[in-house]
Amino acid sequence: QSALTQPASVSGSPGQSITISCTGTSSDVGGYNYVSWYQQHPGKAPKLMIYDVSNRPSGVSNRFSGSKSGNTASLTISGLQAEDEADYYCSSYTSSSTLVFGTGTKVTVL
Amino acid sequence: EVQLVESGGGLIQPGGSLRLSCAASGFTVSSNYMSWVRQAPGKGLEWVSVIYSGGSTYYADSVKGRFTISRDNSKNTLYLQMNSLRAEDTAVYYCARGIAAAHDAFDIWGQGTMVTVSS
């Protein structure tokens, strides 16, 4: 199972909105509404930000939103803040009943 | 408090075996689906294995036939038995709890345990 494709880096100024893409195939992202997004700060465990494409767990800021179109899922961070600077990973359930993560995106707040 | 604590990592020679443990508190391991996820130094996240509440297990191709996920309900602990270890298995290993209302999404993660495979 190949990793889902994400841009290596995305940057934005405080207050701006940024979008991170996550491209897979019809066997994973495109075939199921089971895409999640995780935030990971250096040396820390991942934190769930979005599940099932667009649902936010309790306690996650509503500045984070998710969507999907075809084989590509997206995470949008609005009102970018310094604390949002981190690595972000998407994940998707697959037709093999396994899970696959994305390649990861480093978000930089300018 | 709901938490996961991994243990069992360390330095092991290629071809060796190691068993990782993930002790849960604040919830019941057997009532949730649980996964192991690893991260090689400076690299991204890689899913390793999952065990569902019904007992079904699945593995990444990279570890299939070498790793075994299991749980001990009496100890409320998740395990990962790793055999025939290779240098490319070197990573921080995290255990994670699945969200009941979601499919393959993990809301509680341990702090991770480092496994280094080297001679």
Side-chain angles (χ1 to χ4, degrees), chain A residues 5-74:
Chain A
T5 301
Q6 298 181 231
S9 63
V10 173
S11 62
S13 300
Q16 287 187 329
S17 292
I18 62 170
T19 297
I20 303 168
S21 61
C22 170
T23 301
T25 68
S26 57
S27 295
D28 38 65
V29 175
Y32 309 91
N33 288 324
Y34 300 145
V35 175
S36 298
W37 289 90
Y38 298 87
Q39 175 192 67
Q40 187 181 35
H41 287 107
K44 300 294 186 182
K47 175 186 177 182
L48 180 66
M49 306 303 284
I50 295 288
Y51 66 91
D52 289 355
V53 176
S54 60
N55 294 302
R56 265 180 293 107
S58 174
V60 172
S61 171
N62 58 10
R63 298 186 298 104
F64 292 84
S65 62
S67 63
K68 192 187 86 167
S69 178
N71 295 338
T72 299
S74 299

Side-chain angles (χ1 to χ4, degrees), chain A residues 1 27 32 93-98, chain B residues 58-59:
Chain A
Q1 184 71 47
S27 295
Y32 309 91
Y93 179 75
T94 81
S95 58
S96 301
S97 299
T98 60
Chain B
Y58 296 90
Y59 300 90

Side-chain angles (χ1 to χ4, degrees), chain B residues 4-76:
Chain B
L4 295 167
V5 178
E6 300 101 334
S7 61
L11 175 64
I12 187 76
Q13 291 189 338
S17 298
L18 209 56
R19 189 179 79 159
L20 304 183
S21 299
C22 171
S25 57
F27 73 98
T28 302
V29 165
S30 61
S31 298
N32 295 265
Y33 59 96
M34 303 286 296
S35 252
W36 288 95
V37 175
R38 67 185 182 184
Q39 187 169 34
K43 303 297 184 181
L45 300 175
E46 180 186 14
W47 176 79
V48 173
S49 181
V50 65
I51 182 168
Y52 290 98
S53 56
S56 299
T57 59
Y58 296 90
Y59 300 90
D61 287 344
S62 58
V63 307
K64 196 176 298 181
R66 299 188 299 124
F67 289 12
T68 302
I69 190 172
S70 64
R71 64 190 181 212
D72 185 329
N73 297 342
S74 66
K75 296 183 178 180
N76 206 30

